Coordinates of all heavy atoms in Angstrom, one line a residue:
A69 N 4.4 1.6 2.1 CA 3.5 0.7 2.9 C 3.4 -0.6 2.1 O 2.6 -0.8 1.2 CB 2.1 1.3 3.2
K71 N 2.0 -3.5 2.7 CA 0.7 -4.2 2.7 C 0.0 -3.9 1.4 O -0.8 -4.7 1.0 CB -0.1 -3.7 3.9 CG -0.5 -2.3 4.0 CD -1.2 -1.9 5.2 CE -0.5 -1.6 6.4 NZ 0.4 -0.5 6.4
C72 N 0.2 -2.7 0.8 CA -0.6 -2.3 -0.3 C -0.4 -3.2 -1.5 O -1.4 -3.5 -2.2 CB -0.2 -0.8 -0.5 SG -1.2 -0.1 -1.8
D91 N 7.3 0.6 5.4 CA 6.3 0.4 6.5 C 5.9 -1.0 6.4 O 5.2 -1.4 5.5 CB 5.3 1.5 6.2 CG 3.9 1.0 6.9 OD1 3.9 0.2 7.8 OD2 2.8 1.6 6.5
M113 N 5.2 -0.9 11.9 CA 4.3 0.3 12.1 C 2.9 -0.2 12.5 O 1.9 0.5 12.6 CB 4.2 1.1 10.8 CG 5.5 1.7 10.4 SD 6.3 2.7 11.7 CE 5.6 4.3 11.4
P115 N 0.3 -1.0 15.4 CA 0.3 -0.7 16.9 C 0.1 -1.9 17.8 O 0.2 -1.7 19.0 CB -0.9 0.3 17.0 CG -1.2 0.7 15.5 CD -0.8 -0.5 14.7
R159 N 1.0 6.6 17.8 CA 0.1 6.8 16.8 C -1.1 7.6 17.3 O -1.7 7.2 18.3 CB -0.4 5.4 16.2 CG -1.6 5.5 15.3 CD -1.3 5.6 13.9 NE -2.4 5.4 13.1 CZ -2.8 4.3 12.4 NH1 -1.9 3.2 12.4 NH2 -3.9 4.2 11.6
L171 N -9.2 5.0 9.2 CA -8.2 4.1 10.0 C -8.2 4.5 11.4 O -7.5 3.8 12.2 CB -6.8 4.2 9.4 CG -6.8 3.6 7.8 CD1 -5.4 3.9 7.2 CD2 -7.1 2.1 7.8
H201 N -2.4 8.7 10.6 CA -2.8 8.4 9.2 C -4.3 9.0 9.0 O -5.2 8.6 9.8 CB -2.9 6.8 9.2 CG -2.9 6.3 7.7 ND1 -3.9 6.7 6.9 CD2 -2.1 5.5 7.0 CE1 -3.7 6.1 5.6 NE2 -2.5 5.5 5.7
G203 N -6.4 8.3 6.9 CA -7.3 7.4 6.2 C -6.9 7.2 4.8 O -6.3 8.0 4.2
S204 N -7.2 6.0 4.2 CA -6.8 5.7 2.9 C -7.6 6.2 1.8 O -8.9 6.4 2.1 CB -6.7 4.2 2.8 OG -5.9 3.8 1.6
Q205 N -7.1 6.7 0.7 CA -7.8 7.4 -0.4 C -8.5 8.6 0.2 O -9.7 8.8 0.1 CB -8.8 6.4 -1.0 CG -9.5 6.9 -2.2 CD -8.6 7.2 -3.4 OE1 -7.5 6.8 -3.5 NE2 -9.1 7.9 -4.4
G236 N 1.9 9.7 7.7 CA 1.2 8.6 7.3 C 1.1 8.5 5.7 O 1.8 9.1 5.0
G237 N 0.1 7.6 5.4 CA -0.2 7.5 3.9 C -1.6 8.1 3.7 O -1.9 9.0 4.4
G238 N -2.3 7.6 2.8 CA -3.6 8.1 2.5 C -3.7 8.9 1.2 O -4.8 9.3 0.8
F239 N -2.6 9.2 0.6 CA -2.5 10.1 -0.6 C -3.3 9.3 -1.7 O -3.1 8.0 -1.9 CB -1.1 10.2 -1.1 CG -0.2 10.9 0.0 CD1 0.5 10.1 0.9 CD2 -0.2 12.3 0.1 CE1 1.3 10.7 1.9 CE2 0.6 12.9 1.1 CZ 1.3 12.1 2.0
E276 N 4.1 7.5 4.7 CA 4.2 6.1 4.5 C 3.0 5.7 3.5 O 2.1 5.1 3.8 CB 4.0 5.3 5.8 CG 3.0 5.8 6.8 CD 3.1 5.0 8.0 OE1 2.4 3.9 8.1 OE2 3.7 5.4 9.0
P277 N 3.2 6.2 2.2 CA 2.2 6.0 1.2 C 2.2 4.6 0.7 O 3.3 3.9 0.6 CB 2.6 6.9 0.1 CG 4.0 7.1 0.2 CD 4.4 7.0 1.7
G278 N 1.1 4.1 0.3 CA 1.0 2.8 -0.4 C 0.3 3.1 -1.7 O 1.0 3.1 -2.8
R279 N -1.0 3.3 -1.7 CA -1.9 3.4 -2.9 C -1.3 4.4 -3.9 O -1.2 4.1 -5.1 CB -3.3 4.0 -2.5 CG -4.2 4.0 -3.5 CD -5.6 4.7 -2.9 NE -6.0 4.0 -1.8 CZ -6.9 3.0 -1.9 NH1 -7.2 2.5 -3.0 NH2 -7.3 2.4 -0.8
A280 N -0.9 5.6 -3.6 CA -0.5 6.6 -4.5 C 0.8 6.2 -5.2 O 1.1 6.7 -6.3 CB -0.3 7.9 -3.8
A374 N -3.2 -1.2 -6.2 CA -3.3 -1.1 -4.7 C -4.3 -2.0 -4.1 O -5.5 -2.0 -4.6 CB -3.6 0.4 -4.3
Y375 N -4.0 -2.8 -3.1 CA -4.9 -3.6 -2.3 C -5.7 -4.5 -3.3 O -6.9 -4.6 -3.2 CB -5.9 -2.7 -1.5 CG -5.1 -1.7 -0.6 CD1 -5.0 -0.4 -0.9 CD2 -4.4 -2.3 0.5 CE1 -4.1 0.5 -0.1 CE2 -3.7 -1.4 1.3 CZ -3.6 -0.1 1.0 OH -2.8 0.8 1.8
Ligands
PLP501 C1 -0.3 2.4 9.2 C2 -0.5 2.5 7.7 N1 0.4 3.1 7.0 C3 0.2 3.3 5.6 C4 -0.9 2.8 5.0 C5 -0.9 3.0 3.5 O1 -2.0 3.8 3.2 P1 -2.3 4.2 1.8 O2 -2.3 3.1 0.9 O3 -3.6 4.8 1.9 O4 -1.3 5.3 1.3 C6 -1.9 2.1 5.8 C7 -3.0 1.5 5.1 O5 -3.8 0.9 5.7 C8 -1.7 1.9 7.2 O6 -2.6 1.3 7.9

Side-chain angles (χ1 to χ4, degrees):
K71 61 181 82 69
C72 187
D91 154 19
M113 303 306 271
R159 171 93 170 254
L171 294 173
H201 196 304
S204 195
Q205 186 65 10
F239 304 93
E276 42 184 279
R279 185 185 302 277
Y375 306 105

